[in-house]
């Protein structure tokens, strides 16, 4: 059924548009996480610097210094991972936009199919008889039924 196909294609377009909008939300969230991570990393680096200075003067133990280094490295890895996710969003957006363009083209084709499947009478009136069945293949100009012009009655 061409109308069901059209509805299906329109839903596919709406789903792709929704996914593209979702990418923008995801991008904002990832950027916020990077910003917060950078702030936290700066704090941990200052703390590591203090532990390093304190240890050089004999005032900090190795365990605190190792924990601080580990925390800095963990944050650097996390921020790096988030930045990689941000870079991948452009690839995902490009793929979704290509799929959207294809889906829009399919909607256009489905609209054309609906228009071709619609039977129109050259006169106004009432359909008295239908000579074809639903799904039957017709050619242009084929007789499909009898239309009575009510104006001439």
């Amino acid at each position: 059924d061409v109308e069901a196909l059209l509805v299906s294609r329109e839903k596919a377009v709406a789903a792709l548009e929704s996914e593209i909008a979702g990418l923008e939300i995801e991008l904002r969230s990832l950027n916020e996480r990077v910003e917060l991570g950078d702030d936290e990393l700066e704090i941990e680096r200052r703390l590591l610097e203090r532990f390093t200075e304190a240890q050089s003067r004999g005032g900090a133990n190795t365990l605190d210094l190792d924990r601080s280094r580990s925390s800095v490295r963990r944050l650097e890895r996390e921020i790096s991972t988030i930045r990689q996710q941000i870079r991948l969003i452009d690839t995902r957006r490009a793929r979704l936009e290509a799929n959207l363009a294809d889906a829009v083209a399919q909607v256009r084709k489905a609209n054309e199919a609906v228009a071709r499947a619609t039977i129109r009478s050259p006169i106004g009136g009432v359909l008295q008889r239908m000579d074809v069945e639903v799904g039957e293949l017709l050619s242009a100009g084929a007789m499909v039924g009898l239309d009575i012009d009510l104006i001439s009655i």
Side-chain angles (χ1 to χ4, degrees):
D1 179 53
V2 291
E3 289 177 343
L5 178 65
L6 175 60
V7 169
S8 170
R9 300 293 191 222
E10 289 172 336
K11 286 180 180 178
V13 166
L16 288 166
E17 289 172 337
S18 177
E19 282 188 64
I20 290 170
L23 279 181
E24 296 307 316
I25 294 168
E26 185 177 345
L27 180 60
R28 281 193 300 271
S29 174
L30 289 170
N31 282 324
E32 286 175 14
R33 287 177 56 196
V34 165
E35 189 176 320
L36 291 172
D38 284 341
D39 290 346
E40 189 176 352
L41 180 58
E42 182 60 32
I43 291 167
E44 286 297 326
R45 283 181 175 154
R46 285 194 307 258
L47 185 60
L48 176 59
E49 187 178 311
R50 285 188 208 129
F51 280 135
T52 303
E53 288 174 15
Q55 188 186 38
S56 68
R57 292 185 308 238
N61 66 38
T62 306
L63 182 60
D64 288 336
L65 188 60
D66 288 343
R67 283 183 181 158
S68 185
R69 280 188 187 123
S70 177
S71 183
V72 166
R73 287 186 184 124
R74 179 187 50 80
L75 285 168
E76 288 171 341
R77 279 192 310 273
E78 288 175 8
I79 293 168
S80 176
T81 299
I82 295 168
R83 286 192 170 123
Q84 176 65 26
Q85 291 172 341
I86 289 171
R87 286 190 295 276
L88 291 175
I89 285 181
D90 287 337
T91 303
R92 290 169 50 202
R93 182 184 296 117
R95 180 180 43 82
L96 287 170
E97 287 174 349
N99 290 346
L100 178 61
D102 182 54
V104 167
Q106 290 178 12
V107 166
R108 196 171 328 149
K109 286 180 183 178
N111 274 320
E112 292 169 3
V114 167
R116 284 192 310 271
T118 303
I119 299 172
R120 291 185 180 81
S121 171
I123 61 172
V126 175
L127 187 62
Q128 180 183 21
R129 174 180 92 234
M130 191 71 169
D131 297 334
V132 295
E133 297 294 322
V134 173
E136 190 174 332
L137 185 60
L138 302 172
S139 59
M143 180 69 123
V144 294
L146 180 61
D147 189 21
I148 299 176
D149 182 6
L150 295 177
I151 296 174
S152 61
I153 294 181

